[in-house]
Amino acid sequence: MAKDKEKSLGANLEENLTYKKKNFFEEATEEKVQKAYEYAVGYMKYIDDSKTEREAVKTSIAYAESKGFTEYKFGDKISVGDKKYYNNRGKSLVLFKIGKEDIGQNGIRILASHVDAPRIDVKQNPLYEDSGMAFLKTHYYGGIKKYQWTATPLALHGTVVLANGNCVDVCIGEDDSDPVFYINDLLPHLAREQVTKPMAQAIDGETLNVLIGGFPFKDDDVKEKVKLSVLSKLNEKYGMVESDFLSAEFSLVPSFKARDVGIDRALIGAYGHDDRVCSYPALTAICEDNNDKLTSMVILADKEEIGSEGNTGMQCGIYADLIDAIACAFGKSSALVRMNSKCLSADVTAAYDPNFAGVYEKRNSGMISCGTAICKFTGSGGKGGSNDANAEFVGFIRKLFDDNGVVWQTAELGKVDAGGGGTVAKFIAKLNIDVIDIGVPVISMHAPYEVISKGDLYSTYEAFVAFIK
Ligand code: MN
Ligand code: MN
């Protein structure tokens, strides 16, 4: 651009009257881009260590403790300046920080994300042997395209409660020296019929059997030799017997590590960006925050991928109970605190993908690297099942982000009637809290390896910092 040349009237008007999305990398200073790349390093370590909700809760607690947070239990005293976390059954986590301003008047600033991700769960009586191989029967968790989970290295994560009541954590397939697990697929030579099937039917749910062994136990008196050798390994390492699967929670997740994607390293590929790519910014925002005025809370919920059910999901009363406990500690009515609270429901959205342009409406899609994406509404059909935030709250968020130099955009999950989805926002709205969806646009969401932009990750962090400070 010629710097001396004065802008024409039209160019001036155009600048003042029209709206155009900004690209984070074009907008940011070199220093900020550097910060975004550095921030990504911490994030990638976090997701590699947090492949299940249990692991995410553990790594998040360790991080929070390193920043001065301590455990809260119901009945504990709550005072100004407190930095606390509440561990809900090791599967969901709430962090809160008490500011000195009146929470009756200002409410609580809440960031709510989820730490579960689509995966392959192991059934309760899973182990069998067939044709020289041992397998585990599975039941997939969350919305997956089943064919994507075959012929790819998987790691086994989970927790087993043994007959004596002892709880043992299992993780096999993450260390480079570990074995991995595998779901078989059909060779193309014999797939003439399979490849003509609709994608949803090409791989049946009951064929998602996980290959776990192939070495026969050396004893001719044994009927199922490979199965026995698998059991003897599990027994040796974890003290397990077959019936312990009955009280186990095992999951198969991709064994890949998070990696930079692209020669310019602008993007990150990883399993489970949805929704740790919002959980990490929420966690780091509350832990790094040094404002002493506002009271803030971060919710890392479980079970979002299956409808936020169960006592670790967002529909559980525990989150309202914690708000009640905080309100009560300062002699405020919980209703008043909730009414004046504000929440960002932090979850990923679909990034516009030019390779599948037909399902998007480009003007209203989340564009990669155009910053953290606000979804006024989600849902499907005629906004069915959506929270649909009010214009006043969108206006509040818009001004907040603009005042704080956050690169942000609005997004809709696909074009009208192409499909749809929902998040935890509607469950928070039930508590009479203003809430809106916000998050990082994701390419190939729910695939074993998803892609996001470092610019969107960092702008989401900046948005959360601005929201709670
Ligand atoms: Mn999600
Ligand atoms: Mn999801």
Side-chain angles (χ1 to χ4, degrees):
M1 205 201 304
K3 68 172 181 225
D4 293 325
K5 203 179 155 203
E6 278 207 14
K7 271 192 187 158
S8 70
L9 177 67
N12 250 323
L13 266 181
E14 191 181 36
E15 194 183 311
N16 290 328
L17 299 184
T18 62
Y19 167 70
K20 208 169 159 275
K21 282 192 185 188
K22 291 168 181 158
N23 180 293
F24 175 90
F25 296 117
E26 283 174 6
E27 204 62 21
T29 58
E30 221 168 279
E31 196 192 348
K32 199 183 213 180
V33 171
Q34 185 66 33
K35 272 191 188 165
Y37 274 53
E38 278 163 20
Y39 185 76
V41 175
Y43 167 62
M44 289 159 80
K45 169 96 179 75
Y46 176 81
I47 39 173
D48 283 345
D49 293 340
S50 309
K51 288 196 175 179
T52 63
E53 69 282 356
R54 286 177 189 273
E55 291 168 358
V57 165
K58 260 187 205 157
T59 45
S60 300
I61 288 175
Y63 184 85
E65 282 181 343
S66 78
K67 302 290 175 180
F69 280 70
T70 55
E71 184 163 19
Y72 170 79
K73 299 233 187 254
F74 280 103
D76 287 357
K77 202 169 153 278
I78 299 174
S79 325
V80 169
D82 276 358
K83 291 154 75 174
K84 295 282 174 188
Y85 66 82
Y86 182 81
N87 177 351
N88 180 15
R89 301 168 167 89
K91 289 167 73 84
S92 84
L93 186 71
V94 180
L95 302 107
F96 58 90
K97 202 169 150 274
I98 308 294
K100 62 184 181 195
E101 283 185 356
D102 179 4
I103 57 162
Q105 210 166 45
N106 295 318
I108 302 174
R109 294 292 169 94
I110 305 166
L111 297 165
S113 68
H114 67 92
V115 285
D116 61 317
R119 63 187 185 222
I120 309 289
D121 280 352
V122 173
K123 291 194 192 195
Q124 296 330 115
N125 187 17
L127 184 61
Y128 69 99
E129 168 177 346
D130 198 341
S131 315
M133 293 174 274
F135 296 97
L136 295 176
K137 293 296 297 175
T138 70
H139 196 137
Y140 64 96
Y141 173 96
I144 63 164
K145 289 161 94 176
K146 295 187 273 284
Y147 72 90
Q148 292 180 331
W149 295 72
T150 66
T152 191
L154 300 168
L156 182 72
H157 291 237
T159 295
V160 50
V161 179
L162 305 177
N164 62 12
N166 284 350
C167 207
V168 182
D169 287 338
V170 172
C171 180
I172 312 170
E174 294 297 343
D175 194 274
D176 284 345
S177 63
D178 279 354
V180 293
F181 306 94
Y182 189 82
I183 296 173
N184 302 357
D185 198 356
L186 192 54
L187 61 166
H189 316 66
L190 297 178
R192 195 176 292 164
E193 193 208 326
Q194 186 201 34
V195 297
T196 64
K197 286 184 183 173
M199 241 183 214
Q201 290 158 25
I203 298 290
D204 184 75
E206 289 294 353
T207 59
L208 291 176
N209 301 315
V210 174
L211 186 55
I212 187 175
F215 195 93
F217 194 91
K218 281 190 181 141
D219 185 336
D220 284 339
D221 289 342
V222 173
K223 274 196 208 122
E224 297 183 299
K225 298 189 173 76
V226 182
K227 176 176 168 175
L228 189 67
S229 106
V230 167
L231 279 173
S232 71
K233 289 282 174 204
L234 288 172
N235 187 261
E236 203 175 283
K237 205 163 172 202
Y238 302 107
M240 270 185 78
V241 297
E242 188 177 11
S243 61
D244 292 327
F245 277 111
L246 300 172
S247 50
E249 221 170 55
F250 286 146
S251 304
L252 279 304
V253 297
S255 69
F256 332 121
K257 299 262 183 286
R259 301 282 294 265
D260 286 344
V261 171
I263 202 157
D264 50 16
R265 299 176 179 268
L267 311 164
I268 304 170
Y271 161 66
H273 281 311
D274 176 7
D275 184 32
R276 289 130 207 189
V277 75
C278 295
S279 302
Y280 184 74
L283 173 71
T284 49
I286 197 170
C287 287
E288 306 297 334
D289 177 47
N290 46 30
N291 108 82
D292 58 357
K293 297 192 185 89
L294 282 176
T295 293
S296 53
M297 175 180 275
V298 165
I299 299 171
L300 306 179
D302 178 30
K303 293 200 163 55
E304 192 277 343
E305 297 296 355
I306 56 168
S308 299
E309 311 288 348
N311 57 14
T312 52
M314 197 63 224
Q315 294 200 63
C316 172
I318 189 93
Y319 311 102
D321 291 343
L322 281 163
I323 295 172
D324 288 354
I326 297 170
C328 196
F330 297 97
K332 303 290 173 184
S333 110
S334 179
L336 180 70
V337 171
R338 284 187 278 113
M339 190 179 87
N340 290 323
S341 292
K342 293 180 171 62
C343 177
L344 297 180
S345 164
D347 204 349
V348 298
T349 187
Y352 176 82
D353 187 337
N355 297 294
F356 302 97
V359 297
Y360 298 93
E361 190 265 284
K362 200 171 183 179
R363 292 176 60 80
N364 286 287
S365 292
M367 305 302 283
I368 200 94
S369 299
C370 286
T372 195
I374 283 177
C375 297
K376 184 177 179 297
F377 53 86
T378 58
S380 64
K383 298 192 178 180
S386 170
N387 161 59
D388 205 356
N390 59 56
E392 290 83 350
F393 192 50
V394 181
F396 166 80
I397 295 296
R398 172 187 175 187
K399 183 167 184 328
L400 180 80
F401 290 174
D402 285 344
D403 289 349
N404 286 278
V406 176
V407 177
W408 66 280
Q409 58 183 324
T410 58
E412 187 177 1
L413 199 145
K415 71 178 184 187
V416 177
D417 290 338
T423 66
V424 300
K426 60 180 174 182
F427 307 120
I428 293 157
K430 279 187 179 170
L431 304 175
N432 192 26
I433 293 172
D434 269 320
V435 55
I436 190 165
D437 281 299
I438 181 174
V440 173
V442 176
I443 295 280
S444 308
M445 195 196 295
H446 286 200
Y449 214 56
E450 305 170 318
V451 170
I452 58 108
S453 156
K454 288 180 183 175
D456 298 333
L457 168 67
Y458 194 67
S459 67
T460 299
Y461 169 68
E462 289 190 306
F464 293 174
V465 168
F467 183 70
I468 62 170
K469 85 170 184 208

